[in-house]
Amino acid sequence: MSTWQLQEAKGKFSELVKRALSEGPQGITVRGEPVAVLVSCAEYARLTHPKPGFVEFMRGSPLVGVKLKTERETGFTREIAL
């Protein structure tokens, strides 16, 4: 992420916006301290887009409807092939 001083960012705002589009987020500092980040609309939408919950994620799985073998042996030991 490139960093810009606030005065430089004000003076070269159009360049700052173009770089945010082409290079990604651009940091802005005041007196050497980071205070803001300029991002493109696409990046902002990606960051703020709500992620699906667990149930929605599972319902969207390509494995919906696949029958799984869920039977387990009821004994205390299992035979293992070595």
Side-chain angles (χ1 to χ4, degrees):
M1 174 169 70
S2 298
T3 305
W4 300 66
Q5 292 179 355
L6 180 60
Q7 288 181 334
E8 183 184 11
K10 283 194 234 178
K12 298 181 178 180
F13 188 70
S14 61
E15 182 182 345
L16 179 68
V17 170
K18 287 177 186 176
R19 284 197 184 182
L21 289 170
S22 64
E23 298 174 14
Q26 302 292 306
I28 300 172
T29 63
V30 174
R31 294 185 208 101
E33 296 293 321
V35 294
V37 177
L38 180 71
V39 296
S40 67
C41 281
E43 180 70 9
Y44 180 76
R46 185 186 69 79
L47 291 171
T48 59
H49 182 63
K51 293 181 175 46
F54 181 71
V55 173
E56 291 84 21
F57 175 76
M58 294 303 287
R59 285 182 180 157
S61 169
L63 299 177
V64 169
V66 171
K67 298 291 183 185
L68 301 174
K69 180 181 175 185
T70 57
E71 297 174 7
R72 299 191 86 181
E73 301 233 358
T74 57
F76 292 112
T77 59
R78 295 185 265 180
E79 292 186 25
I80 299 174
L82 299 173

